[in-house]
Amino acid sequence: MNLLVRFFRHEAAGGVILMLATLFALICQNSSLSGIYQEILHSEFSIRFRNLEFAEDLVLWINDGLMVIFFFVVGLELKKEVREGELSKPSQIALPAIGALGGVVIPAVIFWLLNHGDDFAIRGWAIPTATDIAFAVGILALLGKRVPSGLKIFLLTLAVVDDLCAILIIALFYTDHLSMTSFLIAGFLLGVMWLLNYARVAKKSVFVFLTFLLWISVLNSGVHATIAGVLAAFCIPTVDRNGNRMLDEFYHDLEGVTNFFILPIFAFVNAGVALTGINPNQLLNSVSYGIFFGLFFGKQLGIFIFTFVFIKILRLGSLPSGATWTQLYGVCILGGIGFTMSLFVNGLAYENSDKFFFADKLSILVASFASGLLGYLFLYFYSKVNEKKLSEN
């Protein structure tokens, strides 16, 4: 029991469970369990209140419903960082923000260069721009003291800014036609929540209820429903009128649920790529190239080049405390772990179409695995070489 508790408390635990969920999904989809797996994913569930009814497949309830909680937690983290953490001081956010920008621009350009001639394929341009916080930070945690704390803060801040970019991309580029009625209702609810935040109301249940109503409104507005989670999070009081740190309480209440339930469930229903009966030539298409090269090469090069220019050429910043350029590059490699965020954007872009023979999802998995493994080995062996040099001296 103590071993299990220690495992769940470890920073890498979330990443390990995500990997197991992905592996389980692949096994289910490519075995005799495939029929049951597909039946579960496409089972219809409905919520009805008088004349208002929502009926969707399980996979859509997870992507449009459960993932709202994930984005709510991301929003809480963003608000805390903006108010009190790494995003509160321009001097601290500048370098990782520039790196995050490079990690969005270069992968998007690579994808565009390979797919700009196909109107449907180009919808996936944002897929390789995302970084999975849980995996990237989890792998860095496995390296322990081999990586300077300054680099850990750099990666965490970069991943947070990267998430903010992903949220903006979803809101601006993956939004359908707007329903003005639902949009106005959502705006009214946000106004009410902001006033309650300003008054530092101490009732969590009130915010939970209003967040639920906001989710329903945004779901019907044309803006992707997960945006409701981020907007609601920014309306949670940092400290309520009783002196309780409500924002921290919400975060701690939901962090474990998100890492050990919601994200693994999301990975399970989205990572089930059918590998049987696929001609290898079908996997070699411009979309799979764009995703793989964008994530694996584009992210690491984009982050590193932008930070290098910022420090060496523009002389506007310095390396994270205790870090070398080689170590920084190793962390840049970890930025290519797109995984859950890339799968999420992939679902928005292609709506689970099989036009690319699931090469889009497979490329995300392969590029993320390659980035994680190479980043870990790069930093591990670099630290070993350094340790050997120190011992010889």
Side-chain angles (χ1 to χ4, degrees), residues 180-233:
M180 289 310 298
T181 302
S182 297
F183 200 68
L184 289 172
I185 292 171
F188 171 75
L189 290 168
L190 270 176
V192 172
M193 293 182 72
W194 184 85
L195 289 173
L196 294 176
N197 169 52
Y198 183 77
R200 299 195 300 167
V201 171
K203 291 284 186 181
K204 286 185 183 179
S205 56
V206 173
F207 287 100
V208 171
F209 178 67
L210 289 172
T211 299
F212 176 72
L213 295 180
L214 179 66
W215 168 70
I216 292 176
S217 302
V218 174
L219 188 64
N220 283 283
S221 71
V223 178
H224 196 269
T226 51
I227 301 301
V230 180
L231 295 175

Side-chain angles (χ1 to χ4, degrees), residues 244-355:
N244 299 317
R245 296 188 62 84
M246 185 184 288
L247 188 142
D248 288 345
E249 289 175 4
F250 263 116
Y251 184 83
H252 291 306
D253 289 344
L254 295 173
E255 184 184 22
V257 175
T258 299
N259 291 337
F260 302 125
F261 177 70
I262 293 174
L263 288 180
I265 289 292
F266 172 82
F268 176 73
V269 302
N270 286 278
V273 180
L275 303 175
T276 54
I278 292 180
N279 185 329
N281 292 329
Q282 294 173 337
L283 301 177
L284 304 178
N285 56 61
S286 61
V287 168
S288 64
Y289 289 147
I291 293 173
F292 179 82
F293 290 123
L295 273 176
F296 185 71
F297 293 109
K299 288 294 280 188
Q300 58 179 279
L301 292 176
I303 296 169
F304 186 79
I305 290 171
F306 272 52
T307 52
F308 183 86
V309 169
F310 189 73
I311 295 171
K312 282 287 189 179
I313 298 177
L314 300 179
R315 300 187 181 279
L316 296 174
S318 58
L319 282 170
S321 178
T324 65
W325 282 106
T326 306
Q327 288 174 316
L328 178 68
Y329 191 77
V331 168
C332 292
I333 297 172
L334 294 179
I337 306 175
F339 199 57
T340 52
M341 287 301 293
S342 291
L343 286 172
F344 185 79
V345 176
N346 184 82
L348 297 179
Y350 300 134
E351 299 176 346
N352 295 313
S353 168
D354 60 356
K355 180 179 179 180

Side-chain angles (χ1 to χ4, degrees), residues 28-47:
C28 287
Q29 180 68 302
N30 295 280
S31 68
S32 57
L33 298 172
S34 177
I36 299 173
Y37 177 70
Q38 287 298 321
E39 187 174 341
I40 291 172
L41 298 192
H42 298 292
S43 299
E44 187 176 274
F45 292 85
S46 62
I47 296 176

Side-chain angles (χ1 to χ4, degrees), residues 54-89:
F54 299 100
E56 299 284 0
D57 291 349
L58 177 63
V59 63
L60 291 177
W61 276 118
I62 291 168
N63 292 350
D64 292 347
L66 277 183
M67 286 299 284
V68 173
I69 301 174
F70 165 71
F71 278 92
F72 181 74
V73 173
V74 170
L76 292 173
E77 186 174 19
L78 281 172
K79 180 173 181 177
K80 182 175 181 179
E81 293 295 331
V82 168
R83 292 293 297 272
E84 306 171 341
E86 295 300 323
L87 305 187
S88 62
K89 298 177 183 177

